[in-house]
Amino acid sequence: MDLILCHTTADFDALGAAVGLTRLLPGSKIVLTGGSHPPVRDFLALHRDEYPLIERRSVNPEKIRSLTIVDTQQRDRLGKAAEWLDLPNLKEIIVYDHHLGQESDISATRSHISSVGATTTLIVEQLQQQQISLTPAEATVMALGIHVDTGSLTFDQSTPQDALALAWLMQQGASLSVISTYRDPGLSLQLQQLLTKALENLEYICLRGYTIAWITLKTDAFVPGLSSLASELVELTEIDAILLANEYPLSESDSRLTVIGRSQIPKTNLNLLFQLLGGGGHSQAASLNLRGVDSQAILKQLLDGLKAQIPHPPTARDLMSSPVRTILPETTIAEAQRILLRYGNSGLSVVDTQGQLVGIISRRDIDIALHHGFSHAPVKGYMTTNLKTITPDTTLPQIESLMVTYDIGRLPVLKNGELVGIVTRTDVLRELHQERDKDREGRETHRGKSNINLPQLQNKLAPQLWQLLTIASQEAEKRGWHLYLVGGAVRDLLLAEAAGSLMINDIDLVVDGFHKSADVGAGVELAKALQQLYPAARLEIHGAFQTAALLWHKDPELDSLWVDIATARTEFYPYPAANPEVEASSIRQDLYRRDFTMNAIALRLTSPRSGELLDFFGGLLDLQAKQIRVLHANSFIEDPTRIYRGVRFAVRFRFEIEPQTEEFIRYAINSGVYDRTSQQNSRTPALQTRLKTELKHILEAPYWKSALQLLDNLGALQCIHPTLKLDGSLLRQLRLLERCLRRFDAEQTLVHWQMRLEALIAYLAPEYRVKVAQNLQLQEDSIVRLKNLIQSFSQVMEYLPTLQRPSQVVQLLRQYDLPMLILIALQSRREIRHQIWKYLTVWANVQPLLNGNDLKKLGYKPGPRYRQILDDVFAATLDRVIKDRAEAEEFLTKHYSQ
């Protein structure tokens, strides 16, 4: 006999999972080990005959072959049926559950435990895999299980898997009318009476912006359905968490206590709290049953534990953007619009000449003024002066309440009357969204997913790097600043699969803390402080960009490490492909100016909240999806080097370029904006020095061929020159180039990435080569070589086919250096390449049989003819007229008198 056991007081999830298992385990029977929830009891009163249910008392233990337990991992939740777990004739014990992190006392032979909203979902997935169909009755009870345990997909523990499972059950014929009847059946008369009593006696406390309530209800006997009462209280009173205790006597000297917990507060975990007393459940819903205890002491212990779990809510200091973009009341509407366009703001703060806040003007206000033709008018006539303001310590719930109550999109942050920041509606929504995501990630930790935190960071990084970051964060904290690790280093940490000694050679740090007295020189000041502690590092300061760099060269510990330290800043491109103009800003705006979402993640190194990841743009999701996604639509128009970086990342990490991002790339290239901006501006660094840097990164990487092919597919080689395409002929030349470099420059005396770039430029029409090389600011020898290539190529093409003797070939080709010969060979026909190849492999290595000293010893007087004699002897050697020294001396005697 194969049995499926539901826990005592079975709910719809336990019943639904059990019903689904009967299809996976044909012939198995369901045992309700001890009662059921009132809605389940009412449902079974009508539908019991649809399912293979049997009474516990009708089971012969000696005939049990296997037990499958659903929705629990605890023996004591199986009632008297727990005795069957110890039967000697049992061949298998299987557990299906969705409560992660619980210590099981059941010795299962197989377990299926996963963090989904309902255990039934796990069963549905297996039914789908085995392509097993259900009857409408089976689909209905299983759908009820998922609906009830996920709050119809509204509880935070709900997952996409639950939604997909429900969709499949609907396809199987689940009855929506039945689900509607039993999903929320309403409260029984007894529960309604208890609800009235609870509402009259509920106790409350407000802590850190959240409201917690608790109540102890004493009854004469067990009351079924208390979980429904707890949920009803939460909904009616709009509290954030509740502890509902029910105490009833078992005898004159004994009593039982049941406690139901519900919480909607982020980062609280009732499951962990209740487990300490032998209960359990989910992070947001848990329960426990105890006998013979002091109910008030237990409730106080749970309440104190819940209070301790409640996080300190973010404050305006954590949310605000700073410094604030301000204008004077006399600023014109047209100028205000230009500032909004430049910085992408949705509004501007208006201050008087003393810097005191006097109003706010929104983009909508400006648009209306422009519509009516008042571009010349001052903003003071359109700004809002009836302002609501907050302080740096105002909490997120308070901010949210102000915005909702007064329909305000932005709140200025004042400290001692001084404007130090601004919090927008977007800031609030982003923070609320991130809190939900963090809570989900915390529950998914058991699936192998986890947030990066400082202990994990320490394990992944090389110890010397960890020490450097620790010292840097301590120096920042001394000055009251925040310090963040940003960009590629964070990305590489997130992509690292295991702990080890990850040595990152390029680290970006950002200092943020303007509301804590940091100024535009904060990054430079921190770099100077670090150099005092690391005197081996060279300090470079770039004042225009408010950055400093510490560079080590072949250091015994840090090798050739490069650490960029910048003050948080925003940037504006005055025209496409220009260098950006930068201004001090906040960490949020600093991340927004970056290229791709996966590079716009920051890891906070300073306390408090050290180890916190800032991910405002979905970079983590894109890393998991293995896709490259740009931050904003104009990114490639402003800076075409981002196209090359995106391609480099895509090929390096084997990611896909997200479709919308690819559209932005193609639009930027096909728009002709790069040609226009090059014609209109003498300096276009993104198409000159910065493009050369990106080409260097690509062409010196092992994946350079794949990157070039992707660039060509996107049409991005046009950034080098509009006519450059990676056609079959150029591909053949690049393959030949690699053969030449391997054969003739094994010691890498040449710069191979530069040779690849020269080969690309050499493929252009001769009239474009020098201009492109100068535009990319190649070294002078490269520019000269590309300038002379057409003449050298023509000479070789004209004379080499006519030469019969090796000495003639050597005389022609030795006037060219190796890079020039390689470029000529790439563009030559096969017989010419063969001659060049033979010259480089054979004839260029032939050594003269005689030298000047030899001639002197043989009695020849030194003089101008030495050069002619030696050239003739060498030519005879190349042409195999003479083969050794004796023949060389004989050659001299025959052709030259002493």
Side-chain angles (χ1 to χ4, degrees), residues 257-260 273-275 277-280 286-290 298 302:
L257 175 69
T258 297
V259 183
I260 306 292
L273 188 62
F274 277 57
Q275 274 186 355
L277 295 171
S287 64
L288 61 81
N289 291 285
L290 298 172
I298 294 296
L302 290 173

Side-chain angles (χ1 to χ4, degrees), residues 367-599:
D367 289 343
I368 291 173
L370 290 171
H371 175 72
H372 291 295
F374 289 96
S375 61
H376 61 285
V379 297
K380 63 183 179 183
Y382 292 86
M383 68 185 187
T384 299
T385 56
N386 183 22
L387 303 177
K388 298 292 181 184
T389 63
I390 55 178
T391 71
D393 296 319
T394 305
T395 63
L396 175 59
Q398 292 169 324
I399 294 170
E400 187 180 6
S401 176
L402 276 173
M403 286 185 168
V404 172
T405 302
Y406 297 102
D407 191 23
I408 300 173
R410 57 194 61 79
L411 287 168
V413 184
L414 301 182
K415 183 178 181 181
N416 299 326
E418 180 186 355
L419 180 64
V420 294
I422 193 158
V423 176
T424 67
R425 187 180 286 117
T426 301
D427 294 328
V428 171
L429 291 175
R430 185 183 289 125
E431 184 67 27
L432 292 172
H433 177 73
Q434 283 199 311
E435 289 298 329
R436 287 194 294 269
D437 284 349
K438 289 173 188 174
D439 195 41
R440 286 193 196 97
E441 288 165 4
R443 289 195 301 276
E444 290 178 344
T445 299
H446 300 284
R447 292 190 199 175
K449 299 179 182 177
S450 61
N451 290 332
I452 290 289
N453 52 43
L454 289 187
Q456 289 173 322
L457 175 64
Q458 183 177 3
N459 290 335
K460 289 189 174 186
L461 278 180
Q464 59 270 32
L465 277 185
W466 164 254
Q467 183 181 25
L468 172 64
L469 294 179
T470 301
I471 292 173
S473 64
Q474 291 169 350
E475 290 296 319
E477 285 179 359
K478 287 180 186 177
R479 293 160 174 79
W481 302 334
H482 303 319
L483 185 66
Y484 296 89
L485 180 69
V486 300
V490 181
R491 176 199 67 219
D492 292 345
L493 280 170
L494 292 168
L495 290 175
E497 294 183 354
S501 296
L502 181 62
M503 188 65 193
I504 300 173
N505 294 319
D506 191 353
I507 288 178
D508 288 327
L509 298 175
V510 170
V511 182
D512 178 36
F514 289 92
H515 54 284
K516 289 276 189 91
S517 77
D519 56 28
V520 294
V524 174
E525 181 180 336
L526 181 59
K528 289 179 177 178
L530 284 176
Q531 198 207 19
Q532 296 297 313
L533 301 171
Y534 288 91
R538 186 174 88 253
L539 176 64
E540 291 184 357
I541 297 174
H542 309 285
F545 295 95
Q546 303 160 359
T547 65
L550 291 173
L551 296 84
W552 286 260
H553 181 65
K554 294 183 179 179
D555 185 82
E557 286 192 351
L558 296 172
D559 195 21
S560 296
L561 175 65
W562 183 305
V563 178
D564 266 313
I565 307 176
T567 308
R569 60 200 195 274
T570 188
E571 63 186 23
F572 173 76
Y573 287 82
Y575 55 86
N579 274 332
E581 297 175 4
V582 297
E583 295 180 10
S585 186
S586 66
I587 184 64
R588 292 172 185 265
Q589 291 169 310
D590 190 278
L591 293 175
Y592 182 67
R593 71 181 181 81
R594 295 176 183 270
D595 48 16
F596 304 103
T597 57
M598 68 177 188
N599 293 331

